[in-house]
Amino acid sequence: MNRTPTPSPLILLLSGPNLQLLGRREPEVYGTDTLEDHVATATAAASEAGFALEHVQSNHEGELVDAVGGALGRAAAVVINAGALSHYSWTLHDALAAFDGPVVELHLSNPYARDSWRRRSVVAPVADGVVCGFGGLGYRLAVEAAAELARR
């Protein structure tokens, strides 16, 4: 009997504006690992949990909104580091609210220990949870949480 392997369920990892600069931009805040390093960590964590990972990075809000829309019915979960969009993107909020699986918001730094404007997230109300302040470890933690929530 010839069986076609079942594809792994998918976790969509979204990276917002300026995250392509990780490793060079404010290393004292965000560390020296690059976005590629973080995506590799997330990919490994997803694989260990039995999931595939797809990554989309954009400096354009609409592209991230389109990626969420394209994940409907296709991805089991979304992990999002929206960068500054976390604090004001109501269009991203609305797209994530329409997503039919778990959403985990991710920040490398702890926004509650920084500028007051960073303490408000418009993504958090539509997320199942928020991982923040753990640096690069946050990518593993966020993917593990998304995978566990998606399995439930």
Side-chain angles (χ1 to χ4, degrees):
M1 178 194 287
N2 187 358
R3 291 189 174 179
T4 304
T6 304
S8 298
L10 178 68
I11 294 175
L12 176 63
L13 172 63
L14 297 175
S15 300
N18 297 314
L19 293 180
Q20 81 282 2
L21 300 174
L22 288 174
R24 295 176 294 182
R25 177 179 169 238
E26 297 181 84
E28 68 282 1
V29 174
Y30 301 112
T32 56
D33 289 341
T34 66
L35 181 58
E36 292 78 19
D37 295 331
H38 296 307
V39 171
T41 295
T43 300
S47 179
E48 290 165 15
F51 287 77
L53 186 120
E54 177 182 308
H55 177 243
V56 174
Q57 188 279 323
S58 182
N59 292 322
H60 305 283
E61 183 176 11
E63 288 182 24
L64 296 171
V65 169
D66 288 344
V68 174
L72 291 169
R74 190 173 71 83
V78 171
V79 173
I80 181 165
N81 182 345
L85 293 175
S86 302
H87 311 294
Y88 66 85
S89 177
W90 289 103
T91 55
L92 198 49
H93 164 105
D94 289 350
L96 291 166
F99 182 70
D100 52 354
V103 174
V104 177
E105 182 179 9
L106 169 64
H107 299 277
L108 288 166
S109 67
N110 180 353
Y112 302 101
R114 299 183 64 200
D115 312 290
S116 61
W117 65 268
R118 295 179 192 273
R119 295 178 193 146
R120 178 172 183 250
S121 168
V122 299
V123 172
V126 294
D128 293 275
V130 179
V131 174
C132 65
F134 294 101
L137 174 60
Y139 278 83
R140 172 169 289 284
L141 297 173
V143 168
E144 289 174 350
E148 180 61 31
L149 291 171
R151 280 194 284 270
R152 291 184 181 175

